[in-house]
Amino acid sequence: MAQVPQRFFDALAVRTWCGLSLRALGRAREEIDAINVYPVADGDTGTNLYLTVESAVAAVEAVFAAHEVDGGTRDASGARYTSEDQDASGARGTADGPSLADAVGAMAHGALIGARGNSGTILAQLLRGMAQVLTERGDSAHTEGPGLRLALRHAATSARQAVAHPVEGTVLTVASAAADAADGAEGDCAEVARAAYEGARAALVATPGQLPVLERAGVVDAGGHGLVTVLAALVETFTGRAPGPVAAPHARVEPGGAGAGKERATGECAEEGGEGGPAFEVIYLLEAEDAAVARLRRRLDALGDSLVVVGGDGLWNVHVHVDDAGAAVEAGVEAGRPYRIRITHFGHGDAHTTGAERPPRERTQRAVVAVVPGEGLAALYTEAGATTLLARPGEPPASGELVQAVRRAHAREVVLLPNDADLRHTAAAAAEQARTEGVRVALIPTRSAVQGIAALAVHEPERRFDEDVVAMTSAAGATRHAEVTVAERQSWTTAGICQAGDVLGLIDGDVAVIGADVSEVAATVLDRMLSAGGELVTLVLGDEAPQAVADRLEARVREAYLAVDTVLYRGGRQGALLLIGVE
């Protein structure tokens, strides 16, 4: 289906660009991963860029969802418009639809909080730099060629400033070349975007001559390749046609597909760095003041390399490679409040590994991949043999993160447990992506972690795949689930109106009990569930729930339900005060 071109850079153009970028990076991900040799040959640049843009897309879509009415967005007159509706001036009303500032602000924020890896963090700052220029226009419905030129220039400048020690031959070089080419372009947004793309592509071809490790590996810079892919999507946004294949003449992927070039580059990058480099990649979001971040930059620069700190206005994304991951996190604690902390050990076979190449690890036959809401449950699932993906409260994983978890499982067959009704579409998309990579995936629609526990309890890898899936699905389906939580705001529920601070008891996803005391609500919920029968009660206690709650429920079962057994787990920071399963 041909893309409807956008004549001006407005909110709808931002939405279109983000969507096209995500699809283009999805197609190019494996190719970009395969040529990733700098700064670390860990074969994940394409994936990290995809996840970063996926987060930006989600943020932009959320802004539009808040304004959409009956499938369209209303202009100032009240008439709906879609991507094909645009007046002669190109301006569209913003009275009931997102403004350009709304859209680019959401894009930048989404990329910032979802940035992954070195290149993803830099891309987030490029998008933020563009947004800073475009939001200065206030409530303006759109910008034209000159505004886009300024945005691209500020993007390149701010990204370079965010990197502690800029290196030429990287995505920074490609971004600067795009801005330079855009500066010389006259005309509308389409002309500016096309010039930026051509300038970036020419710079990408030249990267092997600027960075020896690229020249030895026979590849162009992976991050630069990703940026050219995003700029190609920008051209398509304004012209309706993609400018053609992004792959530059120097880009060479060796036989074997994604990651094949990674192993050949291993020794070369280690040679580039001498004895080797830092062992860990540390990434976290940080709430901190500007002065504290300036001190943090100096502290982290002394601890390691590949330091990139992006963001502003009190929220930052910090990326660094270090040997002492604890010290990097402690530095963040001293600066402000770090969260969404991710620590990755580069491990065997990465850019810091010296010596002989190791053969690829053999795939296991079958694995279980599960999304879990707390550290305690993650440990429980891991002990049972599952590969886990931790979902923080209010931070549901993206489909790309689920795909990465499936890859980490490294199995021919995977059983996927989303453990959340809201993740069903995300999990389905991840399963479909994994199938295109040759993995046989079965998605069991578990709606709670207690259903996942029941499914995992009957998992037998020695059984035929279909039989194992049927048994796990049956066990999950036979488990009723409930949770006890605290209302964040006043709301209408199936049990009546609740106020902020009320204790809510949800059974199978619906509010069934509203009260003031956690123990009382939990006991009422459990009695209602057991009134329909049951043989085993599973309790998962969150960090914020008092031990007395579990003690009371266990005593209640012993006294009133003699044939029912109880098992208690510690869930950690799982969001809900208590999870209950009855099977």
Coordinates of all heavy atoms in Angstrom, one line a residue, residues 296-327:
L296 N 28.1 13.8 37.6 CA 28.0 12.3 37.3 C 28.7 12.0 36.0 O 29.4 11.0 35.9 CB 26.5 12.0 37.0 CG 26.2 10.5 36.6 CD1 26.6 9.5 37.6 CD2 24.7 10.4 36.2
R297 N 28.7 12.9 35.0 CA 29.5 12.7 33.8 C 30.9 12.5 34.1 O 31.6 11.6 33.6 CB 29.3 13.9 32.8 CG 27.9 14.0 32.2 CD 27.9 15.2 31.3 NE 26.6 15.6 30.8 CZ 26.0 15.1 29.7 NH1 26.7 14.3 28.9 NH2 24.8 15.5 29.3
R298 N 31.5 13.4 34.9 CA 32.9 13.3 35.3 C 33.2 12.0 36.0 O 34.2 11.4 35.8 CB 33.3 14.5 36.1 CG 33.2 15.9 35.4 CD 33.9 17.0 36.1 NE 33.1 17.3 37.4 CZ 32.2 18.2 37.4 NH1 31.8 18.9 36.3 NH2 31.5 18.5 38.5
R299 N 32.3 11.6 36.9 CA 32.5 10.4 37.7 C 32.5 9.2 36.8 O 33.4 8.3 36.9 CB 31.4 10.3 38.8 CG 31.4 9.0 39.6 CD 32.4 9.1 40.7 NE 32.3 7.8 41.5 CZ 31.4 7.6 42.4 NH1 30.5 8.5 42.8 NH2 31.4 6.4 43.1
L300 N 31.6 9.1 35.9 CA 31.4 7.9 35.1 C 32.5 7.9 34.0 O 33.0 6.8 33.6 CB 30.1 7.9 34.4 CG 28.9 7.7 35.3 CD1 27.6 7.6 34.5 CD2 29.0 6.3 36.1
D301 N 32.9 9.1 33.5 CA 34.0 9.1 32.6 C 35.3 8.5 33.1 O 36.1 7.9 32.4 CB 34.2 10.6 32.1 CG 35.1 10.7 30.9 OD1 35.1 9.7 30.1 OD2 35.7 11.7 30.7
A302 N 35.5 8.7 34.4 CA 36.7 8.1 35.1 C 36.6 6.6 35.3 O 37.6 5.9 35.4 CB 36.9 8.9 36.4
L303 N 35.3 6.2 35.3 CA 35.1 4.7 35.6 C 35.2 3.8 34.4 O 35.5 2.7 34.5 CB 33.7 4.5 36.3 CG 33.5 5.0 37.7 CD1 32.1 4.8 38.1 CD2 34.4 4.1 38.6
G304 N 34.8 4.4 33.2 CA 34.8 3.5 32.0 C 34.8 4.3 30.7 O 35.4 5.4 30.6
D305 N 34.2 3.7 29.7 CA 34.2 4.4 28.4 C 32.8 4.3 27.8 O 31.8 3.8 28.4 CB 35.2 3.8 27.5 CG 35.1 2.3 27.2 OD1 34.0 1.8 27.3 OD2 36.1 1.7 27.0
S306 N 32.7 4.7 26.5 CA 31.4 4.7 25.8 C 30.3 5.4 26.6 O 29.1 5.0 26.6 CB 30.9 3.3 25.4 OG 31.8 2.7 24.6
L307 N 30.7 6.5 27.2 CA 29.7 7.3 28.1 C 28.9 8.2 27.2 O 29.4 9.0 26.5 CB 30.5 8.1 29.1 CG 29.6 9.1 30.0 CD1 28.6 8.3 30.8 CD2 30.5 9.9 30.9
V308 N 27.5 8.0 27.4 CA 26.6 8.8 26.7 C 25.5 9.2 27.7 O 24.9 8.3 28.3 CB 25.9 8.1 25.5 CG1 25.0 9.1 24.8 CG2 26.9 7.6 24.5
V309 N 25.3 10.5 28.0 CA 24.2 10.9 28.9 C 23.3 11.8 28.1 O 23.8 12.9 27.6 CB 24.8 11.6 30.1 CG1 23.7 12.1 31.1 CG2 25.8 10.8 30.9
V310 N 22.1 11.5 28.0 CA 21.1 12.2 27.1 C 19.9 12.6 28.0 O 19.6 12.0 29.0 CB 20.7 11.5 25.9 CG1 21.9 11.0 25.1 CG2 19.8 10.2 26.3
G311 N 19.2 13.6 27.5 CA 18.0 14.0 28.2 C 18.1 15.5 28.7 O 18.8 16.3 28.2
G312 N 17.3 15.8 29.7 CA 17.3 17.1 30.3 C 15.9 17.3 31.0 O 15.1 16.4 31.0
D313 N 15.8 18.5 31.6 CA 14.5 18.8 32.3 C 14.2 17.9 33.4 O 13.1 17.5 33.7 CB 13.3 18.9 31.3 CG 13.5 19.9 30.2 OD1 14.0 21.0 30.5 OD2 13.2 19.6 29.0
G314 N 15.3 17.4 34.0 CA 15.2 16.5 35.2 C 15.2 15.0 34.9 O 15.2 14.2 35.9
L315 N 15.1 14.6 33.6 CA 15.1 13.2 33.3 C 16.2 12.9 32.3 O 16.3 13.5 31.3 CB 13.7 12.8 32.7 CG 13.6 11.3 32.4 CD1 13.7 10.4 33.6 CD2 12.2 11.0 31.7
W316 N 17.0 11.9 32.6 CA 18.2 11.6 31.8 C 18.2 10.1 31.6 O 17.7 9.2 32.3 CB 19.4 12.0 32.5 CG 19.4 13.4 33.0 CD1 18.8 13.9 34.1 CD2 19.9 14.6 32.3 NE1 19.0 15.3 34.2 CE2 19.6 15.7 33.1 CE3 20.6 14.7 31.1 CZ2 20.0 17.0 32.7 CZ3 21.0 16.0 30.8 CH2 20.7 17.1 31.6
N317 N 18.9 9.7 30.5 CA 19.2 8.3 30.2 C 20.7 8.2 30.2 O 21.4 8.9 29.4 CB 18.6 7.9 28.8 CG 18.7 6.4 28.6 OD1 19.8 5.8 28.7 ND2 17.6 5.8 28.3
V318 N 21.2 7.3 31.0 CA 22.7 7.2 31.2 C 23.2 5.9 30.6 O 22.6 4.8 30.9 CB 23.1 7.3 32.7 CG1 24.6 7.1 32.9 CG2 22.6 8.6 33.3
H319 N 24.2 5.9 29.8 CA 24.8 4.7 29.2 C 26.3 4.7 29.4 O 26.9 5.7 29.1 CB 24.4 4.6 27.7 CG 25.2 3.5 27.0 ND1 26.5 3.7 26.6 CD2 24.8 2.3 26.6 CE1 26.9 2.6 25.9 NE2 25.9 1.7 26.0
V320 N 26.9 3.6 29.9 CA 28.4 3.6 30.1 C 28.8 2.2 30.1 O 28.1 1.2 30.5 CB 28.8 4.3 31.4 CG1 28.3 3.6 32.6 CG2 30.3 4.6 31.4
H321 N 30.1 1.9 29.6 CA 30.7 0.6 29.7 C 31.7 0.7 30.9 O 32.6 1.6 30.8 CB 31.4 0.2 28.4 CG 30.5 0.0 27.3 ND1 30.9 -0.1 26.0 CD2 29.1 0.0 27.2 CE1 29.8 -0.3 25.2 NE2 28.7 -0.2 25.9
V322 N 31.6 -0.2 31.8 CA 32.5 -0.2 33.0 C 32.9 -1.6 33.4 O 32.3 -2.6 33.0 CB 31.8 0.5 34.2 CG1 31.6 2.0 33.9 CG2 30.5 -0.1 34.5
D323 N 33.9 -1.7 34.3 CA 34.3 -2.9 34.9 C 33.5 -3.1 36.2 O 33.2 -4.2 36.7 CB 35.8 -3.1 35.1 CG 36.5 -3.5 33.9 OD1 36.0 -4.3 33.1 OD2 37.6 -2.9 33.6
D324 N 33.3 -2.0 36.9 CA 32.6 -2.0 38.2 C 31.2 -1.4 38.0 O 30.9 -0.2 38.1 CB 33.4 -1.1 39.2 CG 32.9 -1.2 40.6 OD1 31.7 -1.8 40.8 OD2 33.6 -0.8 41.6
A325 N 30.3 -2.3 37.7 CA 28.9 -1.9 37.5 C 28.2 -1.3 38.7 O 27.5 -0.4 38.6 CB 28.0 -3.1 37.0
G326 N 28.6 -1.8 39.9 CA 28.1 -1.3 41.1 C 28.4 0.1 41.3 O 27.6 1.0 41.8
A327 N 29.7 0.5 41.0 CA 30.1 1.9 41.2 C 29.4 2.8 40.2 O 29.1 3.9 40.6 CB 31.6 2.0 40.9

